[in-house]
Amino acid sequence: MTVADSDSTSDSGSVETVTGADPGTELSIAAGRLRGRREDGVAVFRGIPYAQPPVGDLRFAAPSPAVGWEGVRDAGEYGPPCPQTALPDQMRVSRERDGEGDAGGDADEWLTVNVWSPAQAGEDPGARLPVMVWIHGGAYMAGTAGDPGYDGGRLAREGNVVVVTLNYRLGVEGFAWIEGAPANRGLLDQVAALEWVRDNIAAFGGDPGRVTLFGESAGAGSVAALLVMERAAGLFTRAIAQSVPGPYFSPELAEDISTAIAAELGPGIRPTATELAGFAPDRLVAAGTVVAGKMLGWEERWGGVARTASPYSPVVDGEVLPRAPWEALADGVARDVELIVGHNQNEYRLFAALSGQLGRIGEEQALAALSAFGPVAGSEAAYRAAHPDADAELLHELVFSDWLFRMPSLHLAQAQVTGGGRARVYELTWQAPGMGGALGACHALDLPLTFGNFTSGLAPLLIGAEPSAEAEALSARFRAAWTAFASDRLTDAQWPPYDPEERHVLVLDGEKNPVTAYPEEDSRLLWESHRFTALPLPGERA
């Protein structure tokens, strides 16, 4: 814990009252009193624990409520990120922010939230503003709410909403199948954070009855899971899922992957809570990273997921996550939750660029991808017939994008409508100017556009050193639409709901942003009969 004049705490967990801190704002929540900061007209509180550190006896357990403190806790710095796999340099998070340096807090205090509230709301608990809770992505094995790209100040200030971001357990700690531990611990962390919002957000001027959950990539996969989890019911009324990933694991597949990870720790090591507790978190991260690095050679053992280079996904275990989201939504389990869901046009192109494949994919790779991911027998011929002018690289991109993000997102909307709910669908087609325009509307392009932060993470690679007027204008449209949705100000005339006949979709193209019929009709028809569900274990254990 970081305090201004002293970092001492008593055995009872009290925090010495902060004196001499930079001008900020104070408020009280259930656990104790907080001192935040005012930044550009927004009250900001960082690194607030929503659960106890999941270490010692609490390791691999469901989250336990945070312990309170006495005095005033300084909330000026982000909490530490959860143990995780390092991302490529282009994607790596810089946690330096305005000279603050590394994140504060106890080293194991991974489970924290950050809150941005318009200043008048931070001083007026009765403001009852809409709340937007962000779940970051990162393939369920990387990422942190301390990424400057997820700074919620601009969204809160311009949209007059309270923004919350959170850390949750990743990799082995959060998503690996471990005997003797609950499945989907990362999802259970997210539920605990939403319960914290329900119980505390009024102190920041937020309305616990108007919570919108939003996330991208693995964050969108988490949103989809939370939509159908009984433990999350009633904790949010709206949801935005940006580029929903298709892979969810069956227990058999998850257990086999965990067995491979445990084997990297030493001969005879099994993925049990008792055995894994003897290894430090960084050892588990390293073992998972080794497995991720050689997954491509295990396609017979694990199927198409071996081509994603992530050994983690939510597990459809029948308890924490009873069914795959598409199945449960089609049965109406979340019909009362308003939904926005969409994807980017050229999702896979980012991964091709980061892996050095961009411009180098030939017929052999295209054929392998069509065979691995195609939705029907004879997918190669079907894709070539649907896209007669596509070269090998484009076919590779199309089928990978469809399997991993585009069709899971579209099918999620369709399932919500089938179940009697409402969904709005978008596609981002605006071409990223970075790398000479080679990236197109790739995966993660929506992140800087959503938050309006263009100087960190992938933003410089995608947008360029300085955002153009067009980029700023499109970002403003993103933020206006998202916050209007959260505030119940988005009308059907502005953006009609999706329906099976008209298939209205908002196309975010940087100019007119028209509402039109779903643009990827060829892919929609190819995948029309496919059912997204938990991935089985296709091969025998090695």
Side-chain angles (χ1 to χ4, degrees), residues 183-196:
N184 300 304
R185 296 168 299 282
L187 297 179
L188 292 175
D189 292 344
Q190 294 164 11
V191 172
L194 287 168
E195 291 173 338
W196 182 94

Side-chain angles (χ1 to χ4, degrees), residues 74-95:
D74 188 51
E77 298 181 351
Y78 293 112
C82 298
Q84 59 187 269
T85 301
L87 291 172
D89 287 341
Q90 299 96 323
M91 300 180 69
R92 192 166 298 149
V93 171
S94 169
R95 289 190 287 113

Side-chain angles (χ1 to χ4, degrees), residues 164-187:
V164 180
T165 66
L166 61 104
N167 282 344
Y168 57 97
R169 279 175 284 183
L170 303 164
V172 174
E173 304 286 339
F175 288 94
W177 180 269
I178 299 176
E179 182 181 336
N184 300 304
R185 296 168 299 282
L187 297 179

Side-chain angles (χ1 to χ4, degrees), residues 64 87 136 149 229 252 333 342 390:
S64 295
L87 291 172
H136 69 74
M229 287 171 56
E252 295 77 17
V333 299

Side-chain angles (χ1 to χ4, degrees), residues 354-381:
L354 294 178
S355 64
Q357 292 180 299
L358 196 60
R360 300 179 179 179
I361 295 173
E363 286 290 337
E364 183 177 352
Q365 291 165 294
L367 180 59
L370 288 163
S371 175
F373 302 130
V376 295
S379 286
E380 179 191 2

Side-chain angles (χ1 to χ4, degrees), residues 213 222-240 321-340 412-424 485:
L213 191 61
S222 299
V223 169
L226 291 163
L227 279 167
V228 304
M229 287 171 56
E230 185 176 350
R231 301 172 194 228
L235 295 175
F236 57 97
T237 57
R238 299 174 185 272
I240 303 172
L321 182 56
R323 289 188 290 167
W326 302 269
E327 297 171 335
L329 287 182
D331 284 343
V333 299
R335 64 168 60 96
D336 294 331
V337 179
E338 293 274 346
L339 178 63
I340 286 177
L412 197 76
Q414 292 175 165
Q416 178 72 340
V417 174
T418 298
R422 284 164 51 92
R424 290 180 171 90
F485 177 69

